[in-house]
Amino acid sequence: MKALTDRQKILLTLIVREHTRTAQPVGSKTIVAQFGLKLSSATIRNELAAMTELGYLRQPHTSAGRIPTEEGYRYFVSNLVQQTSLPSSTRNTISHQFYQSQQGLDHWLKLAASVLANQSQSASIVTAPHSQRALFKHLELLSVHSDRILMVLVLVGGEIRQRIFSIGEALNQETLSRQAAMLNALCMNKTAPFIAGLDEQLDEGGRRILGMLVEEMNESSHLVTGQVYLDGVQKLLTEPEFAESENARSAMRLFELRPTLDDLLSRTVLKSAIGGVQVLIGGEGQWSELRDFSIILTRYGVPEQISGTLGVIGPMRMPYGHAIGTVRFVSELLSELVTNHLIEE
Amino acid sequence: MKALTDRQKILLTLIVREHTRTAQPVGSKTIVAQFGLKLSSATIRNELAAMTELGYLRQPHTSAGRIPTEEGYRYFVSNLVQQTSLPSSTRNTISHQFYQSQQGLDHWLKLAASVLANQSQSASIVTAPHSQRALFKHLELLSVHSDRILMVLVLVGGEIRQRIFSIGEALNQETLSRQAAMLNALCMNKTAPFIAGLDEQLDEGGRRILGMLVEEMNESSHLVTGQVYLDGVQKLLTEPEFAESENARSAMRLFELRPTLDDLLSRTVLKSAIGGVQVLIGGEGQWSELRDFSIILTRYGVPEQISGTLGVIGPMRMPYGHAIGTVRFVSELLSELVTNHLIEE
DNA sequence: TTTAGCACTCTCCTCAAGAGAGTGCTAATT
DNA sequence: AATTAGCACTCTCTTGAGGAGAGTGCTAAA
């Protein structure tokens, strides 16, 4: 990342600010006029040419103003952005909404997605938190239909998983209940590997059930199995850069956002720690569907125990300072709620 | 609904067919040329003028051909459409996909939505089946955090509902298990009203829990509580009528489809019986968001016991015969699966 | 190092002209 | 009485030319 002079830094900041506001390329005259610099437009032009050379700016066509490149945004976010936090009145209002709602996790996550989307005026994503190491809490086995068994598994932390399976032979409810009672006694607060080790103590039928149980527990410790709440995707359509291009294409891309995000979440986010905010600009070369978007992500939850992901998705020219502040605030709020209400003591 | 002469019926059929194919207004010459009628275009023009007068056709502008009105489509669907069924090879392929997949209900429903979307080349909707009268099967109560209780309720048929609540006082796990055991013994195969009547036999804490239980059971007997699978919505964007109009608006409307459909399902579908196919054209005056769409819906499941809804959503000029056949076929398939695999004997 | 000046490039808007498609009406034909 | 040929008319859509506007790069002067 090539160094910029102080004056160039100021110019980059101004261009980002202006372009974020207007969605238009920014010309040398505009810069002088808007910000009252003590320089002529010709000087600015020279600087702009240099910064274009460095790869931080580009021109949509030869006689247009400049817009930041991905590289330009990246420099801006790393070195120049000023994080703004929400006004405390807004923060209070939002907190209230969460604490008033007694409707449980599902509702909180929806609310979080909605708050993020509204505050940032763009799309938002929130994934349900899940245990990082799945700990067994309770198992229920129910006979559903001849040889089909419904397994309901509750993990420490309150996560519930269900599965219907068959072990080939019909078992009556009594047998199943006995099996469940035994497993409940053996597995309390245990992890999947430990439970897998109980194998030897069981008979044939018990092993089959144990296999399913272990499979289910492992699955839940992988990623994005739970609900994913997406909100405000249609807000992206109001952005001029997407309204411009050919109709179908741009909107189609929004519908393809979902699978791309799932992929992105499962690959990127696990690495980061709770609290750290990641900014992904223009798909970072990896996700071509996100070429025109920027994504701000963070994890929330309780370190080492339970965590989920949340963030906002907007056009590259999003107001980064504000978006980062919002994401951080909502994630702290959710972390607090999750800590207070879902964790075992 | 005004009567049409036989010749007018033929003309309406031809216009619908041609307009479905080309998405363009159909003119008098086109009709003669395409279908080799033994009439001149002038005669056709006279007929078209008459049918326009009757309200079955309209002109986008004075010198354009005709397209069917909502009324026209309605007449066509009620009197003229020929239901086509899928070729048996296709039917077999699809059946196979379902029967091969041992992955359970969730997967079937996704598959159904995907099949509907692909076959009809438009959007599809499938709702999870739910019990029409909720029957208690099993209850589990778990202490999650000081005074918070996790309730897991299993209904006859395998439906699972969960809820976290507090009854104000802290209860230990032992107490909860005793309560659950008692309720399990009392409530097996019973309905919500019966269970509500047990009230008097319980102490204070038991009543609170019973209240929650009854609430949850009633909730599940209302509509659209479960998952709703939407597929192929982006396919609608490729339709010329939506690609044409201003960019943002038309795509935005697709994002607003979801809540509208929820509303529509909860209001319309309950009335109909399993097997009957409903065709809603142009929102039927009630749902302005659906003004340009037609929806073909049916219920599937087991009469009186468990049922869900499925259908396709396409532009008004969708191939009705084919769409109705597809919807009917998939619904029969799902009904069969649900019957075989989820119902208690 | 900065600035004024200028030729040049590219986009976007507007407007007019013309092609094309289809209509409705009238008068003639079957 | 029903059908048809003929024709003037209307409306949309495409194309291309012209001009305004915005912004640039370069040169030469301050």
Side-chain angles (χ1 to χ4, degrees):
Chain A
M1 188 177 287
K2 311 249 178 54
L4 294 180
T5 65
D6 284 352
R7 189 163 73 186
Q8 288 174 329
K9 289 182 188 170
I10 292 171
L11 283 177
L12 182 55
T13 309
L14 295 181
I15 289 171
V16 168
R17 183 188 304 169
E18 186 67 6
H19 182 247
T20 301
R21 201 171 62 82
T22 64
Q24 296 295 325
V26 185
S28 53
K29 276 185 192 159
T30 315
I31 296 179
V32 179
Q34 280 289 329
F35 303 101
L37 297 188
K38 298 250 179 309
L39 290 169
S40 79
S41 64
T43 311
I44 307 291
R45 277 205 288 285
N46 288 331
E47 291 285 33
L48 297 189
M51 291 163 73
T52 305
E53 190 64 29
L54 288 173
Y56 292 127
L57 298 177
R58 67 187 178 85
Q59 292 175 281
H61 56 85
T62 42
S63 73
R66 283 2 192 244
I67 60 180
T69 59
E70 287 187 36
E71 211 48 57
Y73 279 118
R74 217 161 277 139
Y75 189 99
F76 173 77
V77 169
S78 308
N79 304 300
L80 305 173
V81 70
Q82 292 192 327
Q83 197 186 132
T84 61
S85 48
L86 299 178
S88 68
S89 64
T90 312
R91 289 213 304 274
N92 285 337
T93 312
I94 295 173
S95 289
H96 258 81
Q97 288 181 286
F98 277 93
Y99 280 98
Q100 279 193 347
S101 139
Q102 287 299 328
Q103 301 185 52
L105 185 63
D106 182 69
H107 189 252
W108 286 337
L109 299 175
K110 249 183 222 147
L111 184 55
S114 152
V115 165
L116 282 172
N118 284 324
Q119 284 298 318
S120 70
Q121 278 305 307
S122 50
S124 66
I125 187 167
V126 178
T127 71
H130 68 269
S131 313
Q132 287 182 287
R133 326 156 287 162
L135 292 186
F136 181 100
K137 181 176 172 79
H138 187 85
L139 177 73
E140 201 61 34
L141 295 172
L142 297 164
S143 153
V144 177
H145 171 90
S146 62
D147 64 338
R148 301 188 86 75
I149 298 170
L150 169 63
M151 173 172 84
V152 180
L153 168 66
V154 184
L155 299 178
V156 170
E159 208 173 332
I160 293 185
R161 324 215 124 250
Q162 57 180 290
R163 155 183 303 215
I164 291 181
F165 63 97
S166 160
I167 62 166
E169 55 181 318
L171 295 179
N172 62 25
Q173 182 59 57
E174 209 176 321
T175 318
L176 286 175
S177 297
R178 213 170 39 241
Q179 293 272 17
M182 184 175 62
L183 287 169
N184 278 322
L186 288 170
C187 300
M188 189 62 179
N189 282 324
K190 296 294 189 281
T191 63
F194 176 92
I195 292 172
L198 297 174
D199 201 83
E200 294 163 13
Q201 308 176 26
L202 302 176
D203 60 13
E204 179 59 18
R207 271 184 212 168
R208 291 264 180 77
I209 293 170
L210 195 78
M212 288 294 168
L213 170 58
V214 170
E215 213 173 278
E216 193 65 44
M217 287 188 70
N218 282 329
E219 208 157 87
S220 75
S221 75
H222 285 119
L223 200 39
V224 197
T225 42
Q227 276 284 89
V228 176
Y229 301 81
L230 220 51
D231 199 340
V233 177
Q234 75 278 23
K235 288 204 173 71
L236 295 179
L237 279 171
T238 66
E239 301 294 343
E241 44 265 73
F242 305 118
E244 272 166 19
S245 72
E246 331 117 67
N247 196 324
R249 280 267 159 271
S250 75
M252 198 90 87
R253 274 161 41 210
L254 290 188
F255 283 99
E256 282 156 13
L257 221 55
R258 184 61 191 272
T260 309
L261 288 176
D262 287 350
D263 178 53
L264 183 145
L265 287 183
S266 64
R267 288 215 234 159
T268 310
V269 186
L270 270 182
K271 296 171 199 164
S272 70
I274 289 175
V277 175
Q278 283 186 67
V279 181
L280 302 172
I281 291 168
E284 301 284 337
Q286 262 197 79
W287 293 275
S288 59
E289 296 89 341
L290 301 174
R291 204 177 321 122
D292 304 321
F293 299 95
S294 281
I295 302 186
I296 297 178
L297 284 178
T298 192
R299 307 193 81 189
Y300 69 90
V302 184
E304 307 281 304
Q305 295 199 49
I306 187 167
S307 75
T309 303
L310 60 80
V312 304
I313 302 119
M316 265 218 262
R317 55 165 195 78
M318 75 161 77
Y320 287 94
H322 181 251
I324 293 174
T326 306
V327 165
R328 175 159 284 153
F329 170 66
V330 174
S331 102
E332 282 162 8
L333 207 50
L334 263 194
S335 293
E336 205 175 295
L337 287 164
V338 169
T339 308
N340 291 347
H341 290 263
L342 286 180
I343 291 299
E344 211 79 1
E345 269 139 30
Chain B
M1 188 178 290
K2 309 244 178 56
L4 294 181
T5 65
D6 285 351
R7 190 163 73 186
Q8 288 173 330
K9 288 181 188 170
I10 292 172
L11 283 177
L12 181 55
T13 309
L14 295 181
I15 289 172
V16 167
R17 184 189 303 169
E18 187 66 7
H19 181 248
T20 301
R21 202 172 61 82
T22 64
Q24 297 293 324
V26 185
S28 53
K29 277 186 193 160
T30 316
I31 295 179
V32 178
Q34 280 289 329
F35 302 101
L37 296 189
K38 299 246 179 311
L39 291 168
S40 78
S41 63
T43 312
I44 307 291
R45 277 205 288 286
N46 287 331
E47 291 285 34
L48 297 188
M51 292 164 72
T52 306
E53 190 64 28
L54 288 173
Y56 292 127
L57 298 177
R58 67 186 179 87
Q59 293 175 279
H61 56 85
T62 41
S63 73
R66 298 327 206 263
I67 60 181
T69 59
E70 288 187 34
E71 211 47 57
Y73 279 118
R74 217 161 279 139
Y75 189 98
F76 173 77
V77 170
S78 308
N79 304 300
L80 305 173
V81 71
Q82 293 192 325
Q83 198 187 130
T84 62
S85 48
L86 299 178
S88 69
S89 64
T90 312
R91 289 214 303 273
N92 285 337
T93 312
I94 295 174
S95 289
H96 259 81
Q97 288 182 285
F98 278 93
Y99 280 98
Q100 279 193 345
S101 139
Q102 287 298 328
Q103 301 185 51
L105 185 64
D106 182 70
H107 189 252
W108 287 337
L109 298 175
K110 250 184 221 145
L111 185 56
S114 153
V115 165
L116 282 172
N118 284 324
Q119 283 297 319
S120 70
Q121 278 305 307
S122 50
S124 66
I125 187 167
V126 178
T127 71
H130 68 269
S131 313
Q132 287 182 287
R133 328 157 287 164
L135 292 186
F136 181 98
K137 181 176 171 78
H138 187 87
L139 176 73
E140 202 62 33
L141 295 172
L142 297 164
S143 152
V144 178
H145 171 89
S146 61
D147 65 338
R148 299 187 87 73
I149 298 169
L150 170 63
M151 173 172 85
V152 180
L153 168 66
V154 183
L155 299 178
V156 170
E159 210 173 330
I160 294 184
R161 327 217 122 248
Q162 58 180 291
R163 155 183 300 214
I164 292 181
F165 63 96
S166 162
I167 60 164
E169 57 182 317
L171 295 180
N172 62 25
Q173 182 60 55
E174 209 176 323
T175 317
L176 286 175
S177 298
R178 212 170 41 243
Q179 294 271 17
M182 184 175 61
L183 286 169
N184 277 322
L186 288 171
C187 300
M188 189 63 179
N189 281 324
K190 296 294 187 283
T191 63
F194 176 93
I195 292 173
L198 296 173
D199 201 81
E200 294 164 13
Q201 309 176 24
L202 301 176
D203 59 13
E204 179 62 16
R207 272 184 211 168
R208 292 267 179 75
I209 293 170
L210 194 78
M212 289 294 167
L213 170 58
V214 170
E215 213 172 278
E216 193 66 43
M217 287 187 71
N218 282 328
E219 207 156 90
S220 75
S221 75
H222 284 120
L223 201 40
V224 198
T225 43
Q227 275 285 89
V228 176
Y229 300 82
L230 222 50
D231 199 339
V233 179
Q234 77 278 19
K235 288 204 172 71
L236 296 179
L237 280 171
T238 67
E239 300 295 342
E241 43 265 73
F242 306 118
E244 271 165 19
S245 72
E246 330 116 67
N247 197 325
R249 281 268 159 270
S250 75
M252 198 89 86
R253 273 160 39 209
L254 290 188
F255 283 99
E256 281 156 14
L257 221 54
R258 185 59 191 274
T260 309
L261 287 176
D262 286 351
D263 178 51
L264 182 145
L265 287 183
S266 64
R267 287 214 233 158
T268 309
V269 187
L270 270 182
K271 296 171 199 163
S272 70
I274 289 176
V277 175
Q278 283 186 67
V279 181
L280 302 172
I281 291 168
E284 302 285 336
Q286 264 197 79
W287 293 274
S288 61
E289 296 88 342
L290 300 174
R291 204 175 322 121
D292 304 323
F293 299 95
S294 280
I295 302 186
I296 297 178
L297 283 178
T298 192
R299 308 192 81 189
Y300 69 92
V302 184
E304 305 281 305
Q305 296 199 46
I306 187 166
S307 75
T309 303
L310 60 79
V312 305
I313 302 118
M316 264 217 265
R317 55 165 195 78
M318 75 160 79
Y320 288 94
H322 180 251
I324 292 174
T326 307
V327 164
R328 176 159 284 153
F329 170 66
V330 175
S331 101
E332 281 162 8
L333 208 48
L334 263 194
S335 292
E336 205 175 295
L337 287 163
V338 168
T339 308
N340 290 346
H341 289 263
L342 285 182
I343 292 298
E344 210 80 3
E345 272 140 29

